[in-house]
Amino acid sequence: MSDRVHIYEVSPRDGLQNEPEVVSTDDKLALIGGLVAAGFTDIEVTSFVRPSWIPQLSDAAELIARLPRHDHVRYWALVPNMRGLERALDGELGHVATFMSASETHNRKNVNRTRLESLAGLREVIATAKEEDLVVRSYVSTAFGCPYEGRVPIDDVVTVTRALYEAGADHIALGDTTGMGDPVLVQQVVKAVAAAGVPLDHIALHMHDTQGTALANVLSGYLAGVRTFDGSIAGVGGCPYAPGASGNAATEDLVHMFQAMGVETGVDLDGAAATGAVLADVLGRDLPGRFHKYWLGARIRNAATRTA
Amino acid sequence: MSDRVHIYEVSPRDGLQNEPEVVSTDDKLALIGGLVAAGFTDIEVTSFVRPSWIPQLSDAAELIARLPRHDHVRYWALVPNMRGLERALDGELGHVATFMSASETHNRKNVNRTRLESLAGLREVIATAKEEDLVVRSYVSTAFGCPYEGRVPIDDVVTVTRALYEAGADHIALGDTTGMGDPVLVQQVVKAVAAAGVPLDHIALHMHDTQGTALANVLSGYLAGVRTFDGSIAGVGGCPYAPGASGNAATEDLVHMFQAMGVETGVDLDGAAATGAVLADVLGRDLPGRFHKYWLGARIRNAATRTA
């Protein structure tokens, strides 16, 4: 079962976007610095939505201007439309992510468009991004369930995923927006997407732990052949438009599980756990991730033992 | 993948035994009543260890005398030795559980005996219990890692498991005492135990979520053929003798995952979630389980919607 997986870190954007208190640009840059030091190479740093939508991300331009640039690190920004794409191009960001939902109701509430309107708009955004030699990731939200509609037909997930892939998206991230997925559904969706002609090396899983199943779902996706998984350090974040949504899969928990399984992640587990522990301290509250707490407790016990 | 699993609930014993405040017998009976109402049929209610060891369980005799008896509900008590077994017999309890560790250091620190001394003693306890027509479950602690020794040789886990099975134990519960297991190790241990001649329908997995992998490990055990899983409602509890150990697998998270997978548990998910939410309220603190919080949040939102 040994293999290699790739972790895509979303904490600066998806993690912080619905924090009650606006996190300062300096604190975000410190978080990003910790992630880079821990070996993360794909980090979603912000979103070019209208600042009034998500005050947490209104510092997008400044943040991107101040990013510590490294050849091996890819910084991603969410772009809802052509205007967002233009702002990403202004910031000389080479990697952008689009988003729409697999379910009609969530798509309407999230972006105030029908799914067909979103697909038409995203085709233009993706085509323009590719002309500009950008790398494009496209999120398919509510791919494993919709908070408004419940179960989402797998055919709808396949149709949207395939349309985005054919539109030129380099990567498709299937999002379990409110943690409604289960290991069997994850297998069914992944197999259906692959059977529809979207190669699994273009598929990522973006799981939320709202109902406790994120790691089990990630394991199921791994067993089904997916090798890219999204995480948010310490499990911070959720979807501001989805009732009940909270807690992305905790990155350090993913990294720990895969490392323990003998699956290479390229991430330093201690560095990831430390970054999660520091973020919990910065935000001044308990964060849902498990491993960073275990890691911190072990260090405290070890220190006590040494001084005893 | 659809099938049926059996849930063994440990919250009254393993869950509450290291609570900082002693939980009253009345509160324990309320918890047990909630568990029975939710459809749990195997509940580990207490332990006949020396009261001075674990004050939380010093009410064992009174608790057992006051248990609401139902033909379909099996109440279990932990018995460390012959004296404990006698107390279980005095209480007319038909189901007892023994325990020892797969690793030498944890066994010494936990019961102050070598593993061979424990095996010799447990053979006598199990033989006597069987003569009295009791059903016996035997825990093998540190089956997936030892907090003192690290990785535990799979051969040691197999040797102890097989010895207890041959001694007459009806069920063997492999315990991940400090949550060190991972999905690959779980598969390796389960397959090794089965290959050594212990039928998997006599094996249970008792996972802890200390490092976040409990549900993924349960899924891996399910895929390897295990059908009995231990849980503690709301994830309460841990092992008082193992540094860093905290949080049994949360029962309602297990039940939710299996139910979502189409795997029957015989437990009412709403009842399990409600019992977890009530226990968190009784203990007056946040408990690590995920699903009971999601369930409570959904009910609050629904109530708000109805009154809006």
Side-chain angles (χ1 to χ4, degrees), chain B residues 22-249:
Chain B
V22 172
V23 177
S24 73
T25 308
D26 287 350
D27 283 340
K28 290 178 183 175
L29 288 165
L31 167 63
I32 291 163
L35 293 168
V36 170
F40 291 95
T41 54
D42 284 282
I43 307 173
E44 195 169 284
V45 293
T46 189
S47 175
F48 286 114
V49 294
R50 205 173 300 129
S52 60
W53 284 7
I54 306 179
Q56 279 285 6
L57 305 177
S58 58
D59 65 344
E62 182 197 351
L63 180 74
I64 285 174
R66 294 176 56 191
L67 286 172
R69 302 282 180 159
H70 303 276
D71 292 344
H72 69 288
V73 179
R74 295 172 289 276
Y75 294 116
W76 299 75
L78 212 58
V79 294
N81 48 35
M82 287 299 290
R83 177 75 193 94
L85 177 59
E86 285 152 19
R87 291 174 63 193
L89 290 167
D90 294 345
E92 290 173 4
L93 212 63
H95 300 76
V96 295
T98 70
F99 57 97
M100 68 171 287
S101 309
S103 59
E104 191 73 11
T105 312
H106 187 266
N107 200 67
R108 282 176 177 278
K109 289 182 182 279
N110 199 3
V111 296
N112 195 30
R113 288 179 168 191
T114 67
R115 288 173 296 180
L116 287 179
E117 289 168 344
S118 284
L119 274 177
L122 293 183
R123 279 196 191 88
E124 185 189 1
V125 170
I126 293 167
T128 307
K130 298 311 296 179
E131 285 165 18
E132 299 286 345
D133 296 323
L134 301 187
V135 183
V136 179
R137 157 183 262 235
S138 289
Y139 285 99
V140 178
S141 301
T142 66
F144 302 97
C146 172
Y148 308 107
E149 298 178 15
R151 281 252 160 172
V152 174
I154 292 177
D155 287 352
D156 290 8
V157 180
V158 169
T159 301
V160 172
T161 300
R162 192 170 170 180
L164 291 165
Y165 179 67
E166 288 169 350
D170 301 286
H171 309 279
I172 316 283
L174 302 175
D176 189 8
T177 313
T178 53
M180 294 170 71
D182 68 79
V184 171
L185 181 61
V186 168
Q187 285 241 343
Q188 292 168 338
V189 171
V190 168
K191 285 176 178 167
V193 164
V198 182
L200 288 187
D201 57 353
H202 292 260
I203 294 295
L205 290 183
H206 178 99
M207 310 313 276
H208 280 200
D209 201 30
T210 319
Q211 301 185 43
T213 51
L215 249 67
N217 289 339
V218 165
L219 176 64
S220 186
Y222 174 79
L223 295 173
V226 177
R227 291 294 179 268
T228 301
F229 300 95
D230 294 10
S232 183
I233 207 79
V236 70
C239 171
Y241 306 103
S246 75
N248 286 270

Side-chain angles (χ1 to χ4, degrees), chain A residues 182 209 211 256 260 288 290-291, chain B residues 182 209 211 256 260 288 290-291:
Chain A
D182 68 78
D209 202 31
Q211 301 186 42
H256 160 66
R290 296 274 204 268
F291 190 81
Chain B
D182 68 79
D209 201 30
Q211 301 185 43
H256 159 65
R290 296 272 204 269
F291 190 82

Side-chain angles (χ1 to χ4, degrees), chain A residues 68-299:
Chain A
R69 303 282 181 159
H70 304 277
D71 293 343
H72 69 288
V73 179
R74 295 170 289 275
Y75 294 116
W76 300 74
L78 213 57
V79 295
N81 48 35
M82 288 299 290
R83 178 76 193 95
L85 176 60
E86 285 153 19
R87 291 174 63 194
L89 289 168
D90 295 342
E92 291 174 3
L93 211 64
H95 300 76
V96 295
T98 70
F99 58 96
M100 67 172 287
S101 308
S103 60
E104 191 73 9
T105 312
H106 187 267
N107 199 68
R108 282 176 178 278
K109 289 182 181 280
N110 199 4
V111 296
N112 196 30
R113 289 178 166 192
T114 66
R115 288 174 295 181
L116 288 179
E117 289 168 343
S118 285
L119 274 177
L122 292 183
R123 279 194 191 88
E124 185 189 2
V125 170
I126 294 168
T128 307
K130 297 311 296 178
E131 285 165 18
E132 299 286 344
D133 296 324
L134 301 186
V135 182
V136 179
R137 157 182 260 234
S138 289
Y139 284 100
V140 178
S141 301
T142 66
F144 303 97
C146 172
Y148 308 107
E149 299 177 14
R151 280 250 161 173
V152 175
I154 291 178
D155 286 351
D156 291 8
V157 180
V158 169
T159 301
V160 172
T161 300
R162 192 171 170 178
L164 292 165
Y165 179 67
E166 289 169 350
D170 301 285
H171 309 279
I172 316 285
L174 303 175
D176 189 9
T177 313
T178 54
M180 295 170 70
D182 68 78
V184 172
L185 180 61
V186 168
Q187 285 240 343
Q188 292 169 338
V189 171
V190 168
K191 285 175 178 167
V193 165
V198 182
L200 288 188
D201 57 354
H202 292 261
I203 294 294
L205 291 182
H206 178 101
M207 310 313 277
H208 279 201
D209 202 31
T210 320
Q211 301 186 42
T213 52
L215 248 67
N217 289 339
V218 165
L219 176 63
S220 186
Y222 174 79
L223 295 173
V226 177
R227 290 295 180 266
T228 300
F229 300 95
D230 295 8
S232 184
I233 207 78
V236 69
C239 172
Y241 306 104
S246 74
N248 286 268
T251 309
E252 73 277 14
D253 292 359
L254 295 184
V255 171
H256 160 66
M257 179 178 76
F258 281 120
Q259 182 171 304
M261 289 166 65
V263 177
E264 181 54 50
T265 64
V267 173
D268 172 53
L269 181 57
D270 284 326
T275 305
V278 168
L279 181 61
D281 187 54
V282 167
L283 298 181
R285 63 186 175 86
D286 180 71
L287 293 177
R290 296 274 204 268
F291 190 81
H292 75 278
K293 293 168 193 159
Y294 168 80
W295 177 89
L296 197 59
R299 282 175 63 92

